[in-house]
Amino acid sequence: MSEEDSQAKQLALRDESVISSDARAILNCLSDPAILLDRNYQILHANNAYREVYGNAVLRGRYCYAVSHRYSVPCDQAGESCPLQQSLASGENSRVLHIHHTPRGQEYVNVEMWPVKDPQTNALRYFVEILRPSSVASVEASSQGLVGRSAAFQHTLSLVERVAPSDATVMLLGESGTGKELVAQTIHQLSDRAGGPFVPVECTGLPDSLFESELFGYVKGAFTGAGRDRPGLVEAAAGGTLFLDEVGDIPLSEQVKLLRLLETRRFRRVGSTEERESDFRLICATNRDLTAMVQQRSFREDLFYRLNVFEINLPPLRDRREDLLPLIETMLARLSPTREIRFSDEAMQLLESYDFPGNVRELRNLVERALLLADEGVVQPEHLPPVVSRIRSAVREPLATEGEVLSLADAELQHLQRALAVHKGDRRSLARKLGISERALYRKLSELKSEITDTDQ
């Protein structure tokens, strides 16, 4: 038993009387893992469900942020959102999505905080923290689903978790290649309609003459070539989710028909007078600026407001560089599951300096290309596309000369350059050696890249 656990156990034995048997019984009635905290982040009790999921380590007297995150300070002081602080400030329940350390490794967990008031003083005294493991995404490489750990990625996941259980229409915004269809599928899988169909509709390049028949279907004889009745994609999506990809490309003349469908959930097949109904959940996606299109009168304003109920912006890959390594490892495992292959440190340095205009789709193409070229199991800079391999490494000569006094900022910059030059492991191990978080390291690497660019101009 560690010294920390030993001290926690002594505290538990000394102060066990603080928590009544009634409080324990109430906590154990919860089917989800839950812990009771005081205002100072100390764990007072963990229910049976918590111990079943996360193990039987001594918890009483330890700090929640140390157990879940292995931080030495509360989450809000470490750059994370803290549900206890949110509840303390508002007096209401709060909810956040966090990455927690578990016996199975790092996992996404939905954390819900319930403040408990003192019945006599009405002051907030305790907090019940309920933890629900999330199936939305994986922190590390995974055989399926979304993968990432960056702040931008976590924000997207939190919105997905919020909206998925509802039936609200979702608008996914983002550049091409950011994974909008995969996010739409994830929302569908987390919803009550997961047992129903997921029907994607590619709106790009769909001419006026085909839009209505594809969406609503047609009856025999409706037009030349209509030799039989054919249901449309709206009918196919009944009981499930209809995904309109690149909704900004729907012809203006056809938008009013989509608007009527959304307002009434009723439609007619082409060539028929019979009205039909379809119960579906709508998710849309676009890489276009619909607000500007409304102002230019190339997209209907009433349709825009009907579609834009819950907006989720998907971050470009250049804004989630922390996710590069787990994404690459995931793609390697999915594209070549029986082959052991990795990217060299030199190749990773180049990728971390590249902006990926094609986003995750471009990264996947790059990984597939590297698999074909790297015969010896290690992807080197020469195996990367020319547009990437031309990027200069961020490692440069030391900035200081003997006897020169540097500013603290320049000294940190020089130390980081030297660390990059001599370190042989991945970015995660480098962050540990530097005594900072991965997020802080990637931010500093971004600043380093900017500094080098400025000095070369």
Side-chain angles (χ1 to χ4, degrees), residues 385-406:
V387 68
V388 178
S389 58
R390 282 196 297 266
I391 296 176
R392 291 159 299 147
S393 170
V395 180
R396 295 176 64 90
E397 293 299 318
L399 298 179
T401 59
E402 186 176 354
E404 181 183 356
V405 177
L406 292 176

Side-chain angles (χ1 to χ4, degrees), residues 85-254:
Q85 279 297 322
Q86 291 177 10
S87 288
L88 198 58
S90 67
E92 305 293 336
N93 293 1
S94 62
R95 176 182 167 188
V96 299
L97 182 73
H98 273 180
I99 297 175
H100 278 196
H101 288 268
T102 77
R104 297 167 298 279
Q106 295 186 72
E107 296 179 348
Y108 279 107
V109 177
N110 279 300
V111 182
E112 188 171 355
M113 193 71 71
W114 296 352
V116 180
K117 295 182 179 180
D118 188 304
Q120 297 181 342
T121 64
N122 206 38
L124 295 180
R125 185 174 181 184
Y126 301 116
F127 297 85
V128 176
E129 180 177 289
I130 301 175
L131 301 98
R132 298 183 177 92
S134 172
S135 60
V136 170
S138 300
V139 180
E140 309 293 346
S142 173
S143 60
Q144 58 183 358
L146 302 171
V147 175
R149 59 181 299 118
S150 65
F153 182 75
Q154 289 185 51
H155 177 67
T156 298
L157 291 186
S158 66
L159 295 177
V160 168
E161 287 271 13
R162 292 274 184 172
V163 76
S166 74
D167 226 18
T169 298
V170 180
M171 175 68 77
L172 302 176
L173 303 176
E175 297 175 6
S176 178
T178 50
K180 293 187 283 294
E181 183 167 351
L182 184 56
V183 171
Q185 290 174 341
T186 301
I187 294 172
H188 170 71
Q189 291 162 4
L190 293 175
S191 73
D192 293 337
R193 296 176 176 268
F198 176 83
V199 180
V201 182
E202 177 54 64
C203 300
T204 301
L206 199 61
D208 299 23
S209 58
L210 291 180
F211 178 83
E212 189 174 3
S213 61
E214 283 292 310
L215 211 60
F216 304 136
Y218 53 81
V219 297
K220 181 179 179 180
F223 49 82
T224 302
R228 57 180 178 83
D229 289 358
R230 181 180 180 277
L233 297 175
V234 168
E235 285 181 79
T241 300
L242 182 68
F243 174 55
L244 298 181
D245 196 12
E246 298 306 340
V247 69
D249 292 340
I250 295 177
L252 185 61
S253 59
E254 303 298 317

Side-chain angles (χ1 to χ4, degrees), residues 307-425:
L307 297 176
N308 200 39
V309 177
F310 193 92
E311 181 180 295
I312 301 179
N313 280 278
L314 274 61
L317 189 52
R318 61 182 174 274
D319 290 345
R320 42 180 298 214
R321 296 182 191 275
E322 290 173 70
D323 299 334
L324 268 177
L325 184 58
L327 282 170
I328 288 172
E329 291 175 344
T330 294
M331 292 170 182
L332 289 173
R334 294 179 185 179
L335 291 169
S336 186
T338 61
R339 183 182 176 192
E340 289 193 13
I341 188 168
R342 65 179 180 84
F343 278 61
S344 69
D345 287 347
E346 294 79 5
M348 285 302 303
Q349 286 183 26
L350 290 177
L351 294 179
E352 287 161 2
S353 300
Y354 182 57
D355 280 342
F356 287 97
N359 294 295
V360 178
R361 184 184 296 124
E362 182 182 7
L363 177 63
R364 188 185 187 281
N365 294 341
L366 181 151
V367 171
E368 190 168 5
R369 179 183 191 273
L371 280 169
L372 296 173
L373 296 175
D375 294 329
E376 297 182 2
V378 180
V379 177
Q380 301 290 356
E382 59 265 26
H383 301 140
L384 302 177
V387 68
V388 178
S389 58
R390 282 196 297 266
I391 296 176
R392 291 159 299 147
S393 170
V395 180
R396 295 176 64 90
E397 293 299 318
L399 298 179
T401 59
E402 186 176 354
E404 181 183 356
V405 177
L406 292 176
S407 69
L408 289 177
D410 285 343
E412 181 183 66
L413 183 66
Q414 179 173 316
H415 181 65
L416 183 58
Q417 288 176 321
R418 287 172 175 166
L420 286 167
V422 301
H423 182 67
K424 301 302 181 185

